[in-house]
Amino acid sequence: MFICIGNQKKRLELFYLVLFAILFKFSSLIWGFAIYFVLWHSIPSIINQIKFSNGSCFVSNFIAYCPVAGVYWLVSLVEMALLYFTFKEEQLFNTLFFSFLAAITFPHTLVITRMFRGKKENKIKIKINVHKKTVHQRRTVF
């Protein structure tokens, strides 16, 4: 039977696939995308940003993160509301909505890319420093 996959990660992926199928079957495209975006993109991204900024993701770090990020969230929500109330009766709204998403996604992508690049460079520096210490310790022992 295909349910007996054996690997926990594969079972989780299968669960997500079924969940997405149900989500997109019974909701509109916009609502399905919004739910997917918040649960599977935004929340993990926020956790990664908090870990990057503070080293760990505790409630206190989340509370410190919210006022800083909240300014950007508020500006985005106000702009989205203005677009909606200005163009809600027109076919143009969908075009403007996805253009708006693209406009806020581009700077977000640059910031996240720089964040992960810095994280990768720090890991490499840490590995090099650990290796140097290990080599130095071996020399002093002999």
Side-chain angles (χ1 to χ4, degrees):
M1 191 170 169
F2 74 92
I3 300 293
C4 300
I5 294 175
N7 188 339
Q8 187 68 22
K9 187 172 181 176
K10 288 182 181 180
R11 288 182 191 169
L12 185 62
E13 293 297 323
L14 181 62
F15 171 75
Y16 287 153
L17 183 63
V18 170
L19 192 62
F20 288 140
I22 293 169
L23 173 67
F24 285 107
K25 173 72 176 164
F26 294 106
S27 67
S28 69
L29 180 62
I30 296 289
W31 275 109
F33 176 75
I35 293 167
Y36 160 79
F37 188 79
V38 168
L39 294 179
W40 279 275
H41 173 73
S42 297
I43 293 172
S45 180
I46 288 169
I47 291 169
N48 284 333
Q49 291 172 42
I50 293 170
K51 284 180 182 177
F52 178 79
S53 299
N54 301 313
S56 61
C57 189
F58 292 114
V59 173
S60 59
N61 293 340
F62 177 75
I63 291 169
Y65 172 83
C66 284
V68 176
V71 173
Y72 297 101
W73 297 338
L74 183 63
V75 168
S76 297
L77 290 173
V78 167
E79 289 177 6
M80 185 65 71
L82 288 173
L83 273 176
Y84 177 74
F85 289 117
T86 304
F87 298 105
K88 69 179 175 182
E89 301 298 326
E90 300 180 27
Q91 187 66 24
L92 185 62
F93 174 72
N94 287 339
T95 304
L96 291 171
F97 176 74
F98 287 105
S99 297
F100 175 79
L101 286 179
I104 62 174
T105 298
F106 181 69
H108 170 71
T109 304
L110 293 176
V111 168
I112 298 299
T113 300
R114 289 182 72 196
M115 181 181 85
F116 280 112
R117 185 177 299 142
K119 189 176 184 179
K120 186 176 182 180
E121 289 171 1
N122 285 339
K123 282 184 179 179
I124 291 170
K125 287 178 186 176
I126 289 169
K127 285 182 181 179
I128 289 171
N129 287 338
V130 167
H131 178 71
K132 285 180 182 177
K133 287 179 183 176
T134 305
V135 170
H136 178 69
Q137 288 171 349
R138 286 182 189 160
R139 287 183 186 164
T140 57
V141 169
F142 295 112

